[in-house]
């Protein structure tokens, strides 16, 4: 009985291990054009389901209040689209002195230029109990802003230029983010009493959708052709990506928990996820457009292909710790997530060994 209770409590982490295992064993099922048709089921249906779920579960007054939290929005967008790429550029100046493949370094810079995702940050914020409304706004607004800003950042840092299909990307975001959110809010008015009485498991639904996204992401990673990368470089890039994510999460935490910062613990959670997550859905199409014809496009794409599942895995691993900190703060006791994160960081990095078990065979699959 104790084992069953433990499994029930940790079902999401167990689910992550299972979907990655299935992706490793049979990646062709979840790749683009495969039986699951992720280009439709994930890109459109899954993302739309996430934002419909958020729209119907969020109280309208909470969403309205979040829209007026201008200070939080400015912080997230500045950190994501200004501080992040500049900081990565400075880090790469040091890494350029090493023997790391220069195309992987260019790939790390492209990660820094990417906008926030439209799904993972929202799901993790909701699961922890953070400011979900603020996460929704910043994920959606950041994605729209990234359509215009990201190509300019790539031009600035990497000197690549190309025409970007703004209208098609904008319309896709509008149909998969804005419309489902509005439909969810409208639907809420008709079933509000039922929702408050029955309290459906919206968080579990979003977590299941996230498992689908993880599965298809790893299927793509395990079956991507044309990438020739030695094990040392692959493991080194994974370590750098996890270190950047942990470091930036800690940095955003320190900024948003200062005295007179004006942010609540729920705001801090939203900022931590929205500011440090990067979009694969928008990122890969943009890379294919901006670097069209590049011989080393596959190598440039590697860091983003790693960053996306890494941010989900790391967020999932740290979720219980962050949730515990929030509960502690809400009870009026001084929390110290910085100390907790520092202690958990070493434990989280141990997951690199487990991930390496998958990346090793993946490297062979990627050849």
């Amino acid at each position: 009985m104790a084992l069953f209770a433990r499994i029930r409590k940790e079902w999401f982490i167990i689910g992550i291990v299972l979907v990655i295992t299935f992706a490793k064993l049979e990646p062709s099922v979840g790749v683009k054009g495969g039986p699951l048709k992720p280009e439709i089921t994930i890109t459109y249906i899954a993302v739309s389901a996430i934002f419909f779920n958020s729209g119907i579960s969020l109280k309208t007054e909470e969403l309205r209040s979040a829209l007026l939290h201008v200070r939080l929005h400015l912080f997230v967008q500045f950190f994501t689209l200004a501080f992040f790429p500049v900081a990565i550029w400075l880090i790469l100046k040091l890494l350029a002195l090493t023997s790391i493949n220069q195309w992987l370094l260019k790939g790390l810079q492209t990660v820094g230029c990417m906008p926030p995702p439209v799904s993972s940050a929202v799901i993790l914020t909701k699961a922890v109990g953070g400011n979900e409304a603020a996460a929704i706004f910043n994920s959606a607004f950041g994605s729209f802003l990234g359509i215009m800003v990201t190509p300019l950042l790539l031009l600035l840092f990497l000197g690549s230029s190309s025409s970007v299909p703004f209208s098609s990307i904008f319309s896709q975001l509008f149909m998969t983010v804005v419309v489902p959110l509005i439909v969810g809010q409208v639907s809420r008015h008709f079933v509000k009493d039922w929702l408050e009485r029955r309290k459906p498991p919206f968080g579990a639904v979003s977590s299941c959708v996230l498992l689908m996204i993880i599965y298809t992401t790893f299927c793509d990673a395990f079956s991507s052709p044309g990438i020739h990368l030695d094990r040392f470089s692959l493991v080194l890039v994974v370590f750098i990506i996890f270190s950047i994510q942990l470091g930036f999460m800690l940095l955003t935490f320190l900024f948003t928990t200062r005295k007179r910062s004006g942010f609540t613990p729920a705001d801090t959670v939203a900022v931590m996820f929205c500011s440090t997550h990067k979009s694969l859905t928008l990122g890969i199409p943009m890379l294919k457009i901006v670097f069209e014809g590049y011989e080393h496009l596959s190598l440039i794409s590697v860091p983003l292909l790693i960053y996306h599942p890494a941010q989900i895995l790391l967020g999932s691993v740290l979720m219980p710790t962050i949730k515990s900190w929030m509960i502690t703060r809400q009870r009026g006791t001084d929390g110290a997530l910085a100390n907790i994160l520092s202690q958990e960081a070493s434990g989280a990095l141990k997951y690199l060994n487990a991930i390496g078990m998958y990346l090793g065979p993946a490297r062979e699959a990627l050849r």
Side-chain angles (χ1 to χ4, degrees):
M1 186 64 68
L3 178 61
F4 178 77
R6 182 69 178 179
I7 293 175
R8 185 176 180 182
K9 182 179 179 181
E10 304 293 345
W11 71 271
F12 185 68
I13 300 297
I14 296 173
I16 290 176
V17 175
L18 289 176
V19 297
I20 293 176
T21 302
F22 291 147
K24 173 190 171 184
L25 295 174
E26 196 58 56
S28 61
V29 175
V31 298
K32 184 177 180 180
L36 288 184
K37 302 292 182 183
E39 65 273 18
I40 297 174
T41 56
I42 298 298
T43 303
Y44 292 97
I45 299 176
V47 173
S48 297
I50 288 170
F51 283 91
F52 174 80
N53 189 34
S54 295
I56 199 172
S57 62
L58 266 178
K59 295 180 180 179
T60 304
E61 53 271 22
E62 291 179 355
L63 189 58
R64 189 184 303 115
S65 175
L67 294 177
L68 300 177
H69 204 336
V70 178
R71 189 175 183 181
L72 186 150
H73 307 326
L74 289 176
F75 182 93
V76 170
Q77 301 308 324
F78 175 81
F79 192 96
T80 304
L81 296 173
F83 176 83
F84 203 122
V86 172
I88 293 296
W89 180 76
L90 293 174
I91 292 172
L92 294 184
K93 287 295 183 182
L94 297 177
L95 293 177
L97 301 175
T98 67
S99 59
I100 300 178
N101 188 297
Q102 63 169 329
W103 296 105
L104 288 179
L105 296 182
K106 288 181 181 291
L108 285 170
Q109 185 64 71
T110 64
V111 170
C113 297
M114 291 300 155
V118 294
S119 55
S120 60
V122 175
I123 295 175
L124 290 170
T125 300
K126 180 183 181 68
V128 173
N131 191 337
E132 182 189 358
I136 289 174
F137 176 84
N138 281 283
S139 293
F141 180 69
S143 296
F144 284 115
L145 194 60
I147 295 172
M148 297 173 286
V149 175
T150 294
L152 297 177
L153 291 174
L154 292 174
L155 174 62
L156 175 64
F157 289 105
L158 299 173
S160 300
S161 61
S162 178
S163 58
V164 178
F166 296 110
S167 58
S168 62
I169 299 178
F170 183 89
S171 60
Q172 178 182 329
L173 284 172
F174 183 80
M175 293 303 298
T176 57
V177 175
V178 179
V179 171
L181 187 63
I182 294 175
V183 172
Q185 279 285 287
V186 172
S187 302
R188 179 178 175 82
H189 287 287
F190 296 98
V191 294
K192 183 178 179 180
D193 293 337
W194 180 84
L195 291 173
E196 294 180 353
R197 185 172 62 256
R198 299 299 295 269
K199 299 185 183 304
F202 291 115
V205 172
S206 294
S207 296
C208 289
V209 175
L210 183 56
L211 288 177
M212 288 179 58
I213 295 174
I214 294 173
Y215 173 69
T216 56
T217 299
F218 272 94
C219 283
D220 283 335
F222 291 150
S223 60
S224 296
I227 298 178
H228 302 283
L229 194 61
D230 62 277
R231 184 184 296 270
F232 173 77
S233 296
L234 190 61
V235 172
L236 188 59
V237 169
V238 171
F239 177 78
I240 292 171
I241 285 174
F242 269 82
S243 299
I244 288 173
Q245 287 190 38
L246 280 170
F248 282 4
M249 286 182 73
L250 184 58
L251 186 61
T252 55
F253 169 78
L254 293 175
F255 269 106
T256 55
T257 55
R258 292 179 305 164
K259 292 182 178 180
R260 301 179 182 177
S261 66
F263 294 118
T264 65
D267 293 338
T268 295
V269 172
V271 169
M272 287 174 64
F273 288 128
C274 292
S275 299
T276 59
H277 281 207
K278 294 293 183 176
S279 176
L280 180 70
T281 306
L282 290 176
I284 292 299
M286 283 189 178
L287 288 183
K288 289 181 178 179
I289 293 168
V290 175
F291 294 100
E292 184 179 5
Y294 267 57
E295 179 184 355
H296 300 284
L297 174 60
S298 57
L299 278 177
I300 294 175
S301 304
V302 166
L304 185 58
L305 288 172
I306 296 174
Y307 195 97
H308 181 73
Q311 69 191 9
I312 298 173
L313 288 172
L314 184 59
S316 302
V317 169
L318 294 177
M319 196 161 58
T321 302
I322 299 174
K323 192 169 186 177
S324 175
W325 169 79
M326 275 201 63
I327 294 174
T328 302
R329 288 294 297 267
Q330 289 169 352
R331 289 174 178 171
T333 306
D334 287 336
L337 185 57
N339 294 332
I340 299 175
L341 280 177
S342 297
Q343 296 170 5
E344 291 284 332
S346 58
L349 287 174
K350 289 180 181 178
Y351 278 78
L352 288 174
N353 294 327
I355 296 170
M357 294 173 58
Y358 297 102
L359 291 177
R363 178 180 62 85
E364 300 300 327
L366 293 175
R367 290 186 180 277

